Amino acid sequence: MKDSQKGTPVVVKMEDPNFSVVKINGADAAFRPVDKNRGKNAKQVRWVLLLKAHRAVGCVTWLVTVLWDLLGAIKKRLVRRQGVAVEKGKLLFRIISLFLLISLAVLAFEVVAYFQGWHFGNTNLHIPHTSDFQRLFHMVYVAWLTFRADYIAPPIQALSKFCIVLFLIQSVDRMLLCFGWFWIKFKKVKPMINGDPFKVDDVEGSLCIYPMVLVQIPMCNEKEVYEQSISAVCQMDWPRDRLLIQVLDDSDDESIQWLIKAEVSKWNQKGINIIYRHRLVRTGYKAGNLNSAMSCDYVNDYEFVAIFDADFQPNPDFLKQTVPHFKDNPELGLVQARWSFVNKDENLLTRLQNINLCFHFEVEQQVNGVFLNFFGFNGTAGVWRIKALEESGGWLERTTVEDMDIAVRAHLNGWKFIFLNDVKVLCEVPESYEAYRKQQHRWHSGPMQLFRLCLPAILKSKVSPWKKANLILLFFLLRKLILPFYSFTLFCIILPLTMFVPEAELPLWLICYVPVCMSILNILPAPKSFPFIVPYLLFENTMSVTKFNAMVSGLFQLGSSYEWIVTKKAGRSSESDLLAAAERETESIEHQKIHRGASDSGLVELQQLKELKEAVPEPVKKANKIYKKELTLAFLLLTACVRSLLSAQGVHFYFLFFQGMTFFLVGLDLIGEQMS
């Protein structure tokens, strides 16, 4: 082929007709748009197909790797049975198991009908005359559809409507709390201290303005955290002659008792007014421990008492930020500080707990403190007026939520509370699911115990009808009873049942839109946790089983409602804690040099205690539990998920699938750290 234009001619020989020829007439021709309809190069097509195949293989490889890791974790818990403890199931487990067996039978029945081409909702089915077995199966199937529509769907619809009403009421309450929180943020409302309460003109009498404060640290076998807690409290910025620290040790392990004694002795030699108390008979758990300590004669010399659990580490200025609020406010009985978590980013479980607790403190506690002057005492990181404790009856051993008990009784006696959102105390959240589950069981069974016990006192009290309604309807019923009831019943029982009973189908907004909106409201106080909104929603529904079971056991006073198990801690420390520990170690060396002339017996005792501390073996990790209720619910939800495929329900399928997988992972204890 010759070109008549100027320039060097180009000759191209075509051997493969699949190739196309593009004639370039100038420098700008290469940048002209290419016709999309022209034929593609066979090699290009082949490379494109190979690239797509490579991506597909990579995706399949990733899925296989994830599945292999999951199967490995399952094998660790199911095949290697040594040390694996299986949770004992009771009435709730049997009910869930019954639902699972029925759903499996119905699923198998309807799968056969599906392959026969029968429509699930049509009772006027007509099939050609074939075998007697098929006609009999058809009659049974039509009878099942009629029975389902007439007798099963109505009660499920009634129960679902009741739960929907409760869900909407609780959602309105949650929205009102968030509106109150927004108003507090917008108006910048917070408790203020008038002037400088510690500033006086008389220098010689300046110490007299500091009230006498008693600090209590209740603990029981807290080997991992006792040292940092005692150390933080002993470094509080408060006159030493106006402060007394009580270490209330209920440990039944003698080695731990000696370790705590050594720590108390170390700070005592530094001039800190600290004493060690140990009860021979541990009755009443924490309430009995606090009540025993308050019965000491020297407590009468003190005006306020601050309480810190063994894993709490207050800042040195904690008392100076809290105690001044009591000045010129004789009706104030409690000042509560906020918790801050040193291990909130340790794993997925701690991140999800941080979302819940941030909402509890920043929204629930703050809003109730500003608008009602009342909230539930959190049991730690708070300062009480001792007179308020005494007039309210002191610490009682009748429930496992002694903190909520004393708060309700103090509120009925006319005492006011203040919540300080700006004052934060470092602590830990449980890092293992087993510890978190036991903690949540106690936190949800105790309030129902207390509700039964204090309901007559609330009705007979002289407080205003508004305060009575707030305590009964909002504080107890709505937030402690209704929330776990509808969450478990609606999303874990009714929703999977509606897959087998389409006549009682739940609306889409109830499954998707409202729960997502409520989750967004819950996560607002912790905006950095927004990437975890979907795991949070799924995990909260999973925890509804534990909370519902605990609520029922507390309401009907079952045996597990009185169970108190100390939440295991890991002894995490922040970076500032580690720096402070290094400084204390240096000071300890200098202190030993200064007190070289101390008694030989005291030095020998401290040396023996130090050797004992080093000799205590580290806890050995054990295999985690298998939770039967969660696993059974996982199979129930996944069975309903398969059933939703037959009726082509898209959103229901995705929700049931991911919720079922969440139950499955939690049931095998694949979330959080291992218990030690």
Side-chain angles (χ1 to χ4, degrees), residues 116 118 126-139:
Q116 293 290 333
W118 299 336
H126 176 72
I127 60 172
H129 296 284
T130 54
S131 64
D132 294 338
F133 176 77
Q134 286 184 329
R135 286 197 296 271
L136 177 61
F137 186 83
H138 173 258
M139 293 175 58

Side-chain angles (χ1 to χ4, degrees), residues 339-344 354 357-358 361 425-429:
W339 299 1
S340 180
F341 311 106
V342 68
N343 62 337
K344 62 182 179 181
N354 180 60
L357 292 171
C358 281
F361 284 107
V425 181
L426 277 179
C427 62
E428 289 187 23
V429 289

